[in-house]
Amino acid sequence: MALARNRRGGESMNYWPGFVDALSTLILSIVFILTVFVVVQFVLQQEISGKDTALQRLNAQIAQLTELLSMETSSKGDIEQQMAQLRASLATAEADRDKYKGIAEGSGAGLSAAQGKASDLATQLEGEKKISAKALAQVEILNQQIAAFRRQLAALESALDASEKKDKESQAQIANLGQRLNLALAQRVEELKSYRSDFFGRLRQIIGNRPDVRIVGDRFVLQSELLFDTGKADLKPEALPEIDKIAAAMAEIGAKIPADIPWVLRVDGHTDVRPISGGVYKSNWDLSAARAIAVVKYLATKGIGPQHLVAAGFGEFQPIDTGTTDEAYRKNRRIEFKLTER
C-alpha cells in the first residue's frame, strides 16, 4: 500500500513539470500573438493616417486616383491576410485551451489552477476577438473610403462629359450664328451695292458725259481742277453747282437706304507726286486732306447728315497713273466719292 502511494506520488512529480512547460509555451504563444497584433494595429494606424492625408489631397491629386485605389486595394488584401492569420492563431489557441482544460479536469490536484488558467486564457481570447472585430471595422471603413473615391471619380468623369457636350453645343451654335451673320452681312452688302449702282446711275444722268468726271470701279471721280485752284483747298464758285448735283443725288438715294444699314459717303482727296512749294500746306498729304474736308463740309450744308460723311486724304500715295507726264499728273489730282459701309 505504501509502495503504491509512493509510486503515485512519483508519477505526480513527473507530470507537473511537463504541464507547466506546456502552459509556459502557451503563454509565450499568446504573448507572441499579442505582439504581432500590436504590430498589425500600428500598421493599421499608419495606413489610416495615410488615407486621411490622401483624402485631404484628393482635389489636387485626381490624376493619381487610380494609383491610390490600387494601393488601397493592396492594403486591404494585406489586412485580410493578417486577419486570416489571426483567426488561425485564435483557432489554435482555442484548441490548446480545450486541450489543457481537459487535462486540468482529468487531474484532481491541479483542477482549480487549470480552471483559473483556462479562465484567463478565455478572457485573453475574448479580448483578441474584440481586437479582431475592431480590425474588421477598420477594413470596412477602408472599403467605404474606396467606394467614396470611386464615386468621386465617376462624378468627375460625368462632369467632364457634360462639359465636353456643352462645349460642342456652344461651338455648333457659334458656327450657326457665324453663318447667319455672314449671310446677313452679304445681304446688306448686296443691298448697298444696289444703292451704289443707283447712286452712280443717278449721278451719270445728272452730270452727263464730261471728260473731267468719270466712274472708276466703285468710285465717282472728279478732277481737282474742276473744284480747286492749284495748291488751294477752297471750293471754286463755279464748282459748287457740280457738288450740288452730287448732294442732290446722294440725298435722293440716302432717303431710300434702310436705317439699319450703316452707310457713309467717303470723300477721298488725292494729289500728284510733285512736291508743294510754298503756300499754306506743307505736304501733298495736308492738301489732299484739306480738300476732302472742304467737300464734306459743303455736302453737310446741303442736307446730308454728318454721320454719313467721311473725309480722307491720301496725298500722292494712291496714284491711278504712275507715269510722269502732265496727263498722268492730271489724272492723279482728283476727288473721289465712294458709297460704302461704315
Side-chain angles (χ1 to χ4, degrees), residues 329-341:
Y329 292 152
R330 189 188 67 80
K331 289 180 181 179
N332 292 333
R333 295 190 301 270
R334 67 197 187 276
I335 296 294
E336 295 182 351
F337 299 86
K338 180 179 180 180
L339 183 62
T340 184
E341 291 181 285

Side-chain angles (χ1 to χ4, degrees), residues 227-242:
L227 305 178
F228 305 98
D229 291 327
T230 302
K232 295 183 179 180
D234 298 322
L235 288 168
K236 295 192 296 186
E238 59 268 28
L240 299 182
E242 301 300 329

Side-chain angles (χ1 to χ4, degrees), residues 199-246:
F199 174 61
F200 287 161
R202 183 61 178 154
L203 283 179
R204 191 184 297 276
Q205 292 176 0
I206 293 175
I207 295 177
N209 295 323
R210 297 182 52 171
D212 52 359
V213 178
R214 65 188 185 278
I215 296 176
V216 179
D218 59 351
R219 294 170 173 82
F220 193 82
V221 182
L222 279 73
Q223 297 306 132
S224 295
E225 287 78 3
L226 180 65
L227 305 178
F228 305 98
D229 291 327
T230 302
K232 295 183 179 180
D234 298 322
L235 288 168
K236 295 192 296 186
E238 59 268 28
L240 299 182
E242 301 300 329
I243 300 180
D244 289 343
K245 295 175 183 179
I246 296 174

Side-chain angles (χ1 to χ4, degrees), residues 165-180:
K165 182 179 179 181
K166 185 176 180 181
D167 183 60
K168 291 180 180 178
E169 293 176 352
S170 299
Q171 290 178 355
Q173 293 176 355
I174 290 172
N176 185 32
L177 182 61
Q179 293 176 355
R180 293 169 57 187

